[in-house]
Amino acid sequence: MLLQSSAVVDRIFSGIQPTGTPHLGNYLGAIQNWVRLQEESSSVLYSIMDMHSLTMPKEPSVLRQNILDTTAAILACGIDPKKCFLFRQSLVPEHAELAWILGCITNVPRLLRLPQWKMKCASQNNEGTVGLLTYPVLQAADILLYKSTRVPVGEDQVLHLELAQDIAQHFNKKYGEFFPMPKAILSTTKKIKSLRDPAMKMSKSDSQKLATVNVADSPEEIVLKFRKAVTDFTSEVTYDPESRPGVSNLVSIHAAVTGLSIKEVLQQAAGLDTARYKMVVAESVIQKFAPIRNEIKKLQEDKYHLIKVLEDGAEKAKELAAPIYQEIRRLVGFQ
């Protein structure tokens, strides 16, 4: 049994929505960071956020498969269940129960001001659901349920972490000091942009299939997507995100997959025109993803292993969450 201590434990929590096989931006911006963090901290939880995924319409059969594919992909990328708790969010019911308690101390105008609500609601013809409005409260519950102290987040989630901090402060003020303040771990990787529209971030939901490179793409698909990547009319390879976003996105990708600095990448690209440079970047991505792609295929052949990994992780997460949640129940007057 995991014992609850009054001392603050350094604990990392992060989650990923089950959208199937992750794309290049997910890998470089989040999963690669996860692999590093599991080596650095003794208490790390990574969750497949299946409850969050319901905020956008999904067929049940698609969601089931996406959960397995996402699990296979992050295991193939190097996440080790012996070094972290890897689990499915909905298998730990305390997430939803705590979200209700926290929702009761969170005001609606604060949620309505969040830019993701405005953007996603607009994409649903301004008929956004209650779940879409309140999922940042569930995010806060995801983090606070384990008394997490550090949270790897992308730039677009910083406001949601700030909401979690505010909710924690509000709870502490009302019921006494209980939750530590979770701090952001920001990715050092430049945000990866769409290959077809470098003004937008790379996304699974992009309607342009050539815009997004997936971790499990074949070498031929990767070459095609980089060959068709939008750049500009200047053939030289330079890094200037403001005036040359397309080429700069390629440079960022090249640096991130090779571990080189922007300066080192530009030195390598000296004398290349953008057409040839696209193929250099494509080859770097192919080399990076080849072993991952092979491992994903192997893992996908044994879905019962994937299910067991998530169930075992959920049991460990429940054991950690139970004493914390029981104390929350006591504090609010449920027992």
Side-chain angles (χ1 to χ4, degrees), residues 37-53:
L37 290 169
Q38 74 180 358
E39 304 294 338
E40 296 177 3
S41 179
S42 59
S43 185
V44 182
L45 297 97
Y46 296 139
S47 183
I48 308 292
M49 302 299 216
D50 52 349
M51 293 170 69
H52 285 293
S53 71

Side-chain angles (χ1 to χ4, degrees), residues 318-333:
K318 280 182 195 173
E319 202 173 332
L320 187 60
I324 299 172
Y325 186 62
Q326 284 307 307
E327 183 61 12
I328 292 167
R329 286 176 57 84
R330 188 190 69 76
L331 287 171
V332 302

